[in-house]
């Protein structure tokens, strides 16, 4: 595997279900991100992990729970979602640290439908 | 917060035509990326261009950070260029490179 991978690619879940999205990066990066892309809206940052610590939580509802067990893996745990949470969820990674910004690379996304 | 505006929102071209996409941003940024999102949702990195000009095949980009805009040029367009083009900027904050995305330009290239 190369780059950033995400599983599953498609997910349909009911509002009472619990599911998890997985992201893995094979680039040796130390920062990982979750973004949400809803129809007709720009991509929105949800969470940032740098060196396995959550450094940003962009006012995301608690029904979304991220987990970063190591610098290569990132999860997004989902429970009691609403139909408006249906969207494309994208994971990204980058190098971080120091005074400069590093390019972010994205995975293929998980298309989530909440019924 | 910083605003990112892309124009035009939609663009239809005949194969072989050239085009220019624009990205304006409302505040100083540390960096800027251009992406192409294919029909399956994958964001493909085109350019990492905080300033200056870069070229990659038929695509090139120019960022004038002091005037807060960036341009993406597509020459001799092909049907495979269709999709959504996003500009995203970053205001470096500590250890995070939080990207702020524009609304995108949807490009359709007709054969």
């Amino acid at each position: 595997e190369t780059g950033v991978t995400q599983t599953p690619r498609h997910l349909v879940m009911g509002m009472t279900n619990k599911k998890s999205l997985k992201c893995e990066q094979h680039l040796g990066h130390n920062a990982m991100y979750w973004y949400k892309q809803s129809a007709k809206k720009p991509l929105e940052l949800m969470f940032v992990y740098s060196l396995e610590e959550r450094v940003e939580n962009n006012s995301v509802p608690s029904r979304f729970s991220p987990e970063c067990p190591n610098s290569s893996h990132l999860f997004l745990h989902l429970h009691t979602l609403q139909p408006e949470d249906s969207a494309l969820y994208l994971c990204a990674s980058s190098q971080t640290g120091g005074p400069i910004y590093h390019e972010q690379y994205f995975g293929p996304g998980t298309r989530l439908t909440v019924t | 917060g910083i605003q990112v505006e892309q124009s035009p929102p939609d663009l239809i071209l005949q194969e072989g035509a050239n085009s220019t996409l624009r990205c304006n941003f409302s505040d100083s940024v540390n960096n800027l990326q251009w992406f192409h999102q294919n029909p399956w949702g994958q964001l493909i990195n085109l350019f990492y261009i905080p300033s200056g000009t870069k070229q990659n095949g038929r695509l090139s980009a120019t960022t004038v950070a002091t005037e807060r805009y960036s341009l993406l040029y597509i020459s001799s367009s092909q049907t495979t260029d269709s999709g959504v083009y996003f500009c995203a900027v970053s205001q470096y904050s500590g250890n995070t490179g939080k990207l702020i995305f524009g609304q995108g330009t949807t490009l359709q290239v007709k054969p």
Side-chain angles (χ1 to χ4, degrees), chain B residues 12-60:
Chain B
I12 300 174
L13 299 175
Q14 284 299 129
E15 201 167 25
N18 302 329
S19 62
T20 301
L21 282 58
R22 186 176 180 101
C23 173
N24 292 334
F25 40 96
S26 61
D27 200 354
S28 300
V29 298
N30 296 99
N31 273 304
L32 186 146
Q33 290 187 239
W34 281 99
F35 297 92
H36 175 212
Q37 188 169 40
N38 67 22
W40 299 272
Q42 172 82 60
L43 278 173
I44 298 163
N45 290 40
L46 296 178
F47 293 101
Y48 167 59
I49 185 166
S51 62
T53 297
K54 290 186 176 180
Q55 180 151 10
N56 184 2
R58 297 181 295 103
L59 273 60
S60 64

Side-chain angles (χ1 to χ4, degrees), chain A residues 37 55 96 98 101 103-104, chain B residues 33 37 45 48 92 95-97:
Chain A
Q37 186 178 28
V55 297
T96 189
Y101 167 82
E103 189 173 3
Q104 287 185 29
Chain B
Q33 290 187 239
Q37 188 169 40
N45 290 40
Y48 167 59
Y92 183 75
N95 277 330
T96 67

Side-chain angles (χ1 to χ4, degrees), chain B residues 40-80:
Chain B
W40 299 272
Q42 172 82 60
L43 278 173
I44 298 163
N45 290 40
L46 296 178
F47 293 101
Y48 167 59
I49 185 166
S51 62
T53 297
K54 290 186 176 180
Q55 180 151 10
N56 184 2
R58 297 181 295 103
L59 273 60
S60 64
T62 295
T63 296
V64 183
T66 53
E67 296 187 23
R68 300 180 185 170
Y69 73 88
S70 183
L71 302 174
L72 177 68
Y73 305 96
I74 305 174
S75 65
S76 304
S77 57
Q78 301 176 358
T79 56
T80 52

